[in-house]
């Protein structure tokens, strides 16, 4: 069933769903260019109300002193609600960013498991007794910041939002979520689920609208005590600047241009699949996409030939079509950006080995589709090789030896992820330790676990989400000293 294009979706402030028709933004289905519905744009007063509700909820003794196992129970209930509404959540994401159905479903399951992980984590982490240098007891206890602003991008809203809301609540905070204006509905739907799960009102608020207004107002709000942001590096830099003025901490998960490396002793069947999935899953709109491929010169021609054959066979289709491997680009604007980058590659003398154009099928003509694209013949300093394209575009470069490789791979502003394919485990270790990246995969790619901390080096970010330390990201430590000497001097 088609959603109602006239509908204006409300946002959640405290316990109230509020609709703002003025400046409401259309949600566009990138597979068809149809308007799905409209979504409210928060006013500054709405942001103030959301932060005030969050502040009151965070200060509420019932929440501040809630025992960890009870907080965990709430997170489990949210997870159960996500599972129970999985088709609806997957569909909302598919309508808004065009990810293929199978991937949307697996991201819903992933989001539920994030809530369960942090439910367990909040019961696991405790206070610490630290070594004393005298007759006293010293302890470290961990306390929430209060109100956390969570700001998220459009490529994987379900998982990105779960990775912020679940640990922030587990840590005892209240959250104001500002989802991407492209994909606001997953966050709104999860907030409704949280309400039904009995999460006290005000602990999770969702304000919707553009980053340049609503996002900025949220970060600048004096009631917000911590900002957790995932998105582009330029936005991250601006948010970090605003937060620095206010002296509040930020966690920043930003962009990437990750090197994917194949040595001449690698298992090529596995490597080719890893490279293809590593760049083309999600139409390349993944922060960890392996978008710069370095191939040892001896096997360069063979690898290129096999990649071209695989890329040409990828089925680009409507996201809910049986067997679709790649849906559209999430927005028409993003496709324009990709096309501009391909033009820049062409003018720098690139050879386009596969793709480089919109698919020709009539049924895809109204959508923001783009063919999987392979580019060769550029040097490491060409714009298309240096800048994040955030689309289905792989730049392929040869290398001669380890020093040449590491020099090229690290010659980037980014440092989010990297992949290495080699049969020599000593070399895998050596190169992995030399690469400047927050995650390095050896003989695999895009393997991710909620229990493993994730984040970037250099311009790819500050801080680590996930893992037990993902709860600590949303807490500040406090030292307690207890005098034990009955007659202190
Ligand atoms: P974006 O930076 O344009 O927007 C992200 C969010 O920030 C949106 O909600 C937006 O409204 C808001 N925003 C933008 N400017 C803001 C400002 N000045 N103040 C407050 N809020 C602001 O990013 P995008 O285009 O939505 O997403 C794509 C980018 O996200 C890519 O660069 C990608 O690499 C990155 N990303 C990183 C990770 C990671 O974990 N490192 C994961 C997914 C996506």
């Amino acid at each position: 069933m088609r959603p109602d294009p006239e509908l204006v979706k409300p946002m959640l402030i405290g316990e109230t769903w509020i609709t703002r028709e003025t400046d409401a933004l259309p949600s566009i289905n990138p597979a068809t260019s149809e308007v799905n519905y409209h979504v409210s744009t928060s006013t500054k007063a709405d942001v103030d109300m959301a932060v005030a509700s969050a502040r009151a909820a965070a200060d509420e003794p019932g929440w501040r002193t809630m025992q960890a196992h009870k907080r965990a129970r709430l997170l489990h209930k949210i997870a159960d609600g996500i599972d129970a509404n999985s088709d609806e959540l997957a569909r909302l994401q598919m309508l808004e960013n065009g990810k293929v159905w199978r991937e949307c479903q697996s991201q819903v399951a992933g989001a539920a498991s994030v809530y369960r992980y942090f439910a367990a984590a909040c019961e696991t982490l405790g206070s610490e007794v630290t070594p004393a240098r005298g007759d006293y007891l010293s302890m470290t206890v961990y306390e929430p910041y209060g109100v956390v602003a969570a700001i998220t991008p459009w490529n994987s809203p379900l998982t990105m939002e779960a990775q912020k809301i679940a640990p922030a609540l587990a840590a005892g905070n209240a959250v104001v979520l500002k989802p991407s204006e492209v994909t606001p509905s997953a966050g709104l739907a999860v907030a409704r689920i949280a309400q039904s799960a009995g999460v006290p009102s005000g602990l999770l608020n969702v304000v919707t609208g553009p980053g340049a207004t609503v996002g900025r107002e949220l970060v600048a709000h004096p009631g917000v005590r911590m900002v957790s942001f995932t998105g582009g590096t330029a936005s991250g830099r601006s948010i970090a600047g605003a937060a620095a003025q206010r002296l509040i901490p930020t966690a920043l998960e930003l962009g990437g241009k990750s090197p994917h490396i194949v040595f001449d002793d690698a298992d090529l069947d596995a490597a080719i699949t890893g490279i293809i999935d590593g760049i083309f899953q999600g139409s390349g709109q993944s922060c960890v996409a392996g978008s710069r491929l370095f191939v040892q010169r001896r096997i360069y021609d063979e690898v290129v030939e096999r990649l071209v054959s695989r890329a040409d066979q990828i089925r680009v289709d409507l996201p809910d079509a049986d067997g679709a491997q790649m849906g559209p680009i999430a927005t028409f604007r993003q496709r324009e950006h990709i096309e501009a980058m391909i033009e820049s590659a062409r003018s720098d003398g690139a050879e386009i080995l596969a793709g480089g154009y919109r698919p020709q099928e009539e049924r895809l003509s109204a959508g923001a589709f783009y063919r999987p694209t392979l580019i060769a013949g550029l040097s490491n300093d060409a714009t298309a090789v240096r800048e994040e394209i955030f689309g289905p575009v792989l730049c392929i470069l040869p290398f001669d030896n380890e020093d040449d490789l590491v020099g090229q791979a690290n010659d980037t502003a980014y440092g989010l992820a990297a992949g290495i394919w080699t049969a020599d485990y000593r070399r895998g270790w050596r190169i992995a330790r030399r690469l400047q990246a927050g995650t390095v995969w050896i003989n695999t790619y895009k393997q991710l676990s909620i229990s493993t901390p994730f984040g970037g080096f250099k311009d790819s970010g500050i801080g680590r989400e996930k893992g037990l330390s993902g709860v600590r990201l949303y807490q500040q430590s406090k030292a307690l000293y207890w005098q034990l000497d009955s007659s202190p001097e």
Side-chain angles (χ1 to χ4, degrees), residues 152-154 178 181 211 215 229-232 235 253-255 287 388 390:
T152 51
W154 43 257
K178 208 302 280 173
E181 49 276 44
F229 171 77
T230 299
S235 315
E253 300 284 355
L254 308 178
C287 53
E388 188 182 41
F390 216 58

Side-chain angles (χ1 to χ4, degrees), residues 82-355:
I82 290 174
D83 281 338
N85 291 278
S86 80
D87 277 0
E88 170 64 6
L89 289 167
R91 185 168 160 278
L92 285 171
Q93 178 170 289
M94 186 184 72
L95 282 176
E96 293 183 350
N97 74 5
K99 253 190 213 301
V100 293
W101 177 245
R102 196 171 21 88
E103 207 178 330
C104 291
Q105 281 180 309
S106 96
Q107 292 202 326
V108 177
S113 74
V114 169
Y115 280 91
R116 293 199 175 96
Y117 175 82
F118 284 110
C122 104
E123 286 202 77
T124 304
L125 290 167
S127 308
E128 289 142 18
V129 174
T130 48
R133 291 191 163 189
D135 209 0
Y136 61 84
L137 178 72
S138 53
M139 293 178 72
T140 303
V141 297
Y142 295 88
E143 298 189 352
Y145 284 106
V147 179
V148 170
I151 303 180
T152 51
W154 43 257
N155 57 328
S156 296
L158 282 158
T159 32
M160 302 287 141
E161 285 158 17
Q163 283 166 23
K164 297 190 187 308
I165 298 168
L169 291 180
N173 299 281
V175 177
V176 181
L177 171 69
K178 208 302 280 173
S180 165
E181 49 276 44
V182 178
T183 50
S185 293
L188 292 167
V190 169
R192 213 174 268 283
I193 289 167
Q195 239 183 352
S196 312
V199 170
S201 86
L203 280 181
L204 177 57
N205 306 268
V206 187
V207 290
T208 46
T213 51
V214 183
R216 270 181 208 273
E217 283 156 11
L218 186 57
V219 173
H221 197 291
V224 167
R225 299 307 311 159
M226 190 265 177
V227 180
S228 180
F229 171 77
T230 299
T233 293
S235 315
R237 198 166 267 131
S238 149
I239 287 169
Q245 287 303 314
R246 299 199 38 233
L247 294 177
I248 59 170
T250 51
L252 304 171
E253 300 284 355
L254 308 178
K257 190 81 186 180
S258 300
H260 205 160
I261 297 156
V262 201
F263 282 97
D264 62 7
D265 60 351
D267 170 348
L268 278 195
D269 290 343
I272 297 291
T273 297
I275 294 161
I276 290 285
D277 292 349
I279 182 65
F280 296 128
Q281 253 176 17
S283 303
Q285 302 163 115
S286 159
C287 53
V288 293
S291 50
R292 289 185 300 149
L293 178 67
F294 293 99
V295 185
Q296 197 157 13
R297 204 177 290 275
R298 195 176 71 76
I299 54 164
Y300 182 84
D301 290 343
E302 181 188 354
V303 168
V304 165
E305 192 182 317
R306 292 179 67 172
L307 288 173
V308 170
S309 151
R310 287 283 294 273
D312 283 343
Q313 285 169 39
I314 289 178
R315 170 134 172 237
V316 177
D317 212 332
L318 296 167
D320 54 354
D322 274 347
Q325 291 171 294
M326 246 179 65
I329 306 305
T331 65
F332 289 85
R333 194 164 148 216
Q334 182 65 13
R335 184 173 66 174
E336 278 170 26
H337 164 69
I338 293 166
E339 290 178 333
M341 293 300 265
I342 300 294
E343 271 324 299
S344 127
R346 281 202 171 97
S347 64
D348 282 341
E351 191 185 348
I352 311 292
L353 302 169

